[in-house]
Amino acid sequence: TKAPALARAPAPLPARPAPRLTATVPISSSDAAYADMSYPDLPYRLLGLFRLWSVVDRFYPFKDRLGDWRAALAESIPRFEAAGNAEDYSRAVLEVLARLHDGHTQAFGPIAMWNVIGARVLPLELRSIEGRYVVTGKAEELPRDSPIAIGDEIVSIDGEPLDERVRRLWKYSGASNEAARTGRVLFHAVRGTWDSVAELGVRGADGTTRTVKVARTRSRNIVGKGEIWRVLDGNIGYVGLTRLAAPQGDAMFTALSGTDAIVFDM
């Protein structure tokens, strides 16, 4: 009964002094950067694995969702031992992180890590739609005369079928559900190294496949076209949240207030 009374009271709650730090309160500190260890020797590789595993084991709030986390350590030790170069070590780290099934978990570091996840991106937006990888947006960096249209399907990259590429890279990315994981793996599957040019197999609306070369870029600014919000068939509202500016919120809700439902597309 005290909580509702406090909530209704007009007077603010009394201020309380900050709790004193004790031995039971974690105190953050900066670790050594080990900047010269893009490819650590074996003891440091294992140390990196043990620290990563231990932090999750002791502090991860959803460890009960991870399955047998102890087995993850036993299965990872041989991979860290066998890592023959900096890129193999980076892949071993990514495999451990992917087991968290957490889309907010990422690894960054030396050039070797960027060589694995790809330092440059395609100036295209791709989405997995009914089992096909479809162009849903084009970036300003894409040359205007590039023969790629919205709705084209990307079937291969650099001679490798894109579906096989996604399966090959699946173990290096984690997410909370399969759809999110597919999107994240797809984002990495089209990436490449510095100054690289992707050779794309593009299938158009007529069903024929052609080869298009596209230079990868450092970042991408997707050009949006069409209405930001509209009413679809069946009196369903649609909002493209990636293009909706905060000052437009009131106008959007007013325009869609009479719809039966609204799709907020992120």
Side-chain angles (χ1 to χ4, degrees):
T1 59
K2 189 173 183 180
L6 288 173
R8 297 189 185 99
L13 294 176
R16 294 184 178 181
R20 294 173 58 87
L21 292 177
T22 68
T24 61
V25 178
I27 301 175
S28 62
S29 60
S30 298
D31 291 335
Y34 299 104
D36 58 335
M37 289 191 182
S38 61
Y39 174 54
D41 57 19
L42 179 57
Y44 276 98
R45 294 202 303 274
L46 292 179
L47 175 63
L49 170 61
F50 297 154
R51 292 196 64 185
L52 190 162
W53 183 90
S54 297
V55 167
V56 174
D57 186 63
R58 299 299 179 181
F59 300 108
Y60 194 69
F62 309 111
K63 201 179 75 170
D64 58 312
R65 304 291 183 91
L66 301 182
D68 190 351
W69 184 240
R70 183 174 294 276
L73 177 62
E75 293 169 10
S76 299
I77 289 175
R79 299 191 188 104
F80 278 71
E81 289 178 327
N85 52 51
E87 293 184 7
D88 287 345
Y89 175 59
S90 298
R91 293 186 184 95
V93 171
L94 291 173
E95 283 192 61
V96 178
L97 293 178
R99 297 187 67 142
L100 298 181
H101 308 296
D102 187 340
H104 295 88
T105 303
Q106 301 183 63
F108 300 102
I111 293 177
M113 179 64 76
W114 287 108
N115 287 342
V116 172
I117 64 176
R120 295 293 183 263
V121 300
L122 276 182
L124 296 170
E125 177 187 73
L126 299 185
R127 294 189 187 183
S128 175
I129 301 176
E130 298 181 353
R132 301 186 303 126
Y133 302 113
V134 179
V135 177
T136 55
K138 297 193 288 187
E140 293 177 342
E141 296 82 0
L142 184 70
R144 293 183 179 275
D145 59 352
S146 182
I148 297 179
I150 302 296
D152 281 347
E153 178 186 1
I154 305 300
V155 296
S156 67
I157 294 184
D158 299 329
E160 181 180 11
L162 185 50
D163 57 347
E164 293 183 10
R165 195 180 185 99
V166 168
R167 286 195 297 270
R168 177 170 60 82
L169 299 176
W170 189 261
K171 62 183 178 180
Y172 300 125
S173 294
S176 57
N177 58 68
E178 185 169 339
R181 190 173 187 180
T182 298
R184 191 171 184 185
V185 175
L186 181 60
F187 179 70
H188 287 107
V190 300
R191 297 174 71 106
T193 56
W194 280 265
D195 301 321
S196 60
V197 176
E199 186 172 282
L200 308 178
V202 181
R203 181 177 294 145
D206 60 359
T208 62
T209 301
R210 61 192 184 278
T211 299
V212 180
K213 293 186 177 181
V214 176
R216 293 184 173 95
T217 60
R218 182 171 183 175
S219 60
R220 61 180 188 178
N221 182 22
I222 301 297
V223 180
K225 295 182 179 181
E227 297 174 298
I228 297 175
W229 65 82
R230 60 188 183 275
V231 179
L232 306 176
D233 293 341
N235 199 33
I236 305 298
Y238 172 88
V239 186
L241 285 185
T242 58
R243 298 167 53 210
L244 182 74
Q248 298 173 311
D250 289 344
M252 177 271 295
F253 279 115
T254 298
L256 302 181
S257 61
T259 57
D260 295 329
I262 302 176
V263 176
F264 293 100
D265 187 353
M266 298 177 64

